[in-house]
Amino acid sequence: MISKVLIATDGSANAGKAVEIGCDLAAKYGAEVVLLHILLRGEISENLRHMAEIEFAKAEGGQALAKAISTVPAGRFPASIDFGKNPNQGLGELLRAWGKQILEAAKSEAYGHGFAKVETRIEDGDPAKRILQVAEEAKADLIVLGARGLSDLKALLVGSVSHKVSHLAPVTCITVR
């Protein structure tokens, strides 16, 4: 019945629960797992800024995320990212590095559920649309994602990613709180 589970994660607390539940379900059904992260472009939420401040002590409140992350020692995060001449390119590299860290944590959770092989994908674009496209490309039977992610204000105004995905998905979709 379930042969492939797509788990979308943005690193939020609800997404972490989604990874745990998605991996648990996949293990019970003997299904494959695809972990997906969509680059966190657009307005960077206060939650993401707060995560950076907690993770990286040198970041100061109100400081731009790119500037805050760039002060991190090389061993902890790719602080070598150059935000100088082309800040957008540096931010893209930062977001991709952040996504890799999020997927590594999710992959560790999957390995903890006994999976020897886990597919990971980092995508860019509108999160709801990309989740649905990747689900179709991967031939996922189930999509699991957090009910509320890192973008709070925008979700209140235009609807959350999980709401859009659950209404448009052609397969079963589980949103986790």
Side-chain angles (χ1 to χ4, degrees):
M1 184 172 156
I2 297 174
S3 60
K4 192 171 282 189
V5 178
L6 173 66
I7 306 169
T9 180
D10 64 1
S12 66
N14 284 338
K17 292 176 189 173
V19 170
E20 185 179 341
I21 289 170
C23 288
D24 192 45
L25 286 168
K28 286 183 174 141
Y29 283 96
E32 296 175 35
V33 170
V34 178
L35 297 171
L36 172 65
H37 175 76
I38 309 297
L39 295 181
L40 301 169
R41 293 201 185 268
E43 183 180 313
I44 296 174
S45 73
E46 285 303 311
N47 285 339
L48 183 56
R49 186 182 319 281
H50 184 67
M51 284 172 60
E53 290 169 1
I54 289 171
E55 180 67 22
F56 312 114
K58 292 184 180 184
E60 296 178 12
Q63 189 178 31
L65 180 65
K67 195 172 241 183
I69 301 286
S70 68
T71 65
V72 177
R76 302 250 344 253
F77 202 79
S80 61
I81 294 171
D82 181 16
F83 292 97
K85 292 182 182 177
N86 188 350
N88 288 335
Q89 181 180 350
L91 182 59
E93 290 177 41
L94 168 70
L95 294 176
R96 191 163 291 283
W98 187 273
K100 285 180 184 177
Q101 281 193 341
I102 289 169
L103 286 176
E104 283 303 314
K107 197 190 287 190
S108 292
E109 178 72 31
Y111 290 155
H113 279 80
F115 291 96
K117 181 183 172 206
V118 177
E119 181 183 346
T120 60
R121 291 181 64 165
I122 294 180
E123 298 288 335
D124 200 358
D126 177 79
K129 287 179 183 175
R130 291 303 299 144
I131 290 168
L132 293 167
Q133 288 170 346
V134 170
E136 184 179 338
E137 290 168 10
K139 297 180 177 32
D141 305 301
L142 176 65
I143 300 170
V144 183
L145 70 165
R148 171 130 333 155
L150 292 174
S151 59
D152 295 329
L153 179 60
K154 185 177 177 185
L156 290 173
L157 299 174
V158 297
S160 69
V161 171
S162 60
H163 180 78
K164 290 176 187 175
V165 170
S166 66
H167 279 83
L168 297 172
V171 297
T172 301
C173 183
I174 298 174
T175 56
V176 179
R177 293 187 193 275

